[in-house]
Structures are given as C-alpha cells and as structure tokens.
Amino acid sequence: MGAWVVFEDEAGQHLRPAKGRTWSRRGRTPVIVTGKGSGRVLMAGMVCVKPGRETRLIYRTQLYRGRTGEKKGFRAREFAALLTAAHQQLGGAPLIVVWDYATTHHAKALRKFCDPNSDWLTIVRLPPYAPDLNPVEGVWAHLKKSLASLAPSSIEDLIPLVKNRLRHLQNHPDVLNGFVTETGLALEPP
C-alpha cells in the first residue's frame, strides 16, 4: 500500500524524577533534590515505520500547570493536528495509525476528523492492556530514564530537557528500530 505504520501513545513527566541510581562519597548519604510546584509536561509521540525507510519519531508537547479549568491531556483537536502534521511530514503517504483504547482516541470529535480522511488514514486499535506491542512505550521509558538524575527547579525548566531528549531520539533511528524490534511485531510483508 505504500503506507507508513504509525504507532501513537501519550505520556507525561512531572518534576519528581523517576527512580534512578546515584552516587556519593563513602559514608555520606546523597541528598535527593526535587523541584517545587505542580504541573507536568504532556507528550504525544508517534513512531513511524515503513519498510525501506528510516524509522521516524514525531512528537508534540503541552504544558499542564495544574490550574483549575486547564486541560489535563491531549484532546481530539490536538490529535487531528498531530495526524495532519504527520501525514505532511511523511510525504503525504497513507498512514496506518496504531493506538490504544484511550478515551480520546474513540471520542466523537476525533471520529469526525478520521472518517472524512479515510482515504489516507486507517485506524487500528491495540488490544486492551498491551503496552508491550507499542514501540512508543520504549520511547517514554528511555526518556524518563534519561531524566532520572536531573533535578529541574520548575516545570518551565523541564520542558527544554524533555524536548532535547526527544530531538536526540529523532536523530537516532537505530534506537527507534530497537523499540520496534522489542515489540516482536513483524512489519515486513510475508
């Protein structure tokens, strides 16, 4: 079909770092520092695979400060914009989007976008509770592990760190291929 297989998932990162290893001088207990404040960096990412082409990572971030009335995640409009941007960045080729059963993914507003664009957009849902089949989960694990030893002081300091790590992954398709291989899915035609 000449289509890109696009795996999509969302995640978030807050100021409290993930568990990681640290060191200190013998006999001195290390002091763990965490930032102050609430909020999180929201992320939506796509690992895009097509036989014969380099694996690509396309992502978007949003800031959630924890204020009343502020949206806590990506909504249908943001997903529609992300899918449209991916379609354009991947040369206008058809997309087979593979994602989970998140509430937003089957919202009426998103279906209103997907149905008229069915000439280039096909949606495939992962089985429930199957994060091991989505290579984007590997992206999130890699990202969070790389942030484990950092202590940003505010949510505004965390955003450039997250974007920097994701840009780094964009430039390393071999790492992205490892995340795809880890799923055990065969993407080559038989």
Side-chain angles (χ1 to χ4, degrees):
M1 293 175 47
W4 285 83
V5 178
V6 178
F7 295 91
E8 193 278 338
D9 195 34
E10 309 84 48
Q13 178 65 40
H14 45 81
L15 287 175
R16 181 174 296 158
K19 288 185 180 180
R21 294 180 180 259
T22 189
W23 65 274
S24 70
R25 292 181 181 218
R26 185 175 294 170
R28 296 187 185 219
T29 303
V31 177
I32 307 299
V33 179
T34 61
K36 300 279 187 218
S38 62
R40 59 190 300 154
V41 177
L42 306 170
M43 304 167 286
M46 299 176 151
V47 172
C48 310
V49 181
K50 184 175 181 180
R53 302 288 299 272
E54 272 192 351
T55 303
R56 307 262 311 263
L57 173 66
I58 299 172
Y59 69 90
R60 295 291 183 271
T61 60
Q62 289 181 358
L63 180 60
Y64 171 66
R65 289 186 172 86
R67 296 185 178 135
T68 305
E70 189 178 14
K71 59 183 176 183
K72 296 180 181 179
F74 286 84
R75 301 229 171 112
R77 183 180 39 180
E78 287 90 11
F79 280 119
L82 180 59
L83 291 169
T84 303
H87 179 60
Q88 291 170 350
Q89 289 180 31
L90 298 173
L95 303 181
I96 301 171
V97 178
V98 181
W99 59 24
D100 56 18
Y101 274 83
T103 307
T104 311
H105 293 165
H106 53 81
K108 188 175 182 180
L110 192 56
R111 281 194 312 244
K112 285 183 180 180
F113 168 79
C114 294
D115 292 342
N117 293 305
S118 62
D119 55 326
W120 60 268
L121 181 62
T122 304
I123 303 294
V124 177
R125 297 200 191 286
L126 287 169
Y129 308 108
D132 53 322
L133 298 178
N134 194 339
V136 186
E137 296 287 351
V139 171
W140 303 144
H142 186 81
L143 170 72
K144 290 180 181 205
K145 186 176 180 182
S146 75
L147 295 171
S149 61
L150 302 175
S153 59
S154 70
I155 200 73
E156 284 80 13
D157 295 337
L158 181 61
I159 294 170
L161 295 172
V162 167
K163 288 184 176 183
N164 183 318
R165 299 304 196 280
L166 290 172
R167 272 194 301 273
H168 179 77
L169 281 174
Q170 282 181 320
N171 295 325
H172 289 86
D174 51 329
V175 177
L176 297 173
N177 287 336
F179 299 145
V180 174
T181 303
E182 195 174 64
T183 65
L185 298 173
L187 299 175
E188 294 286 333

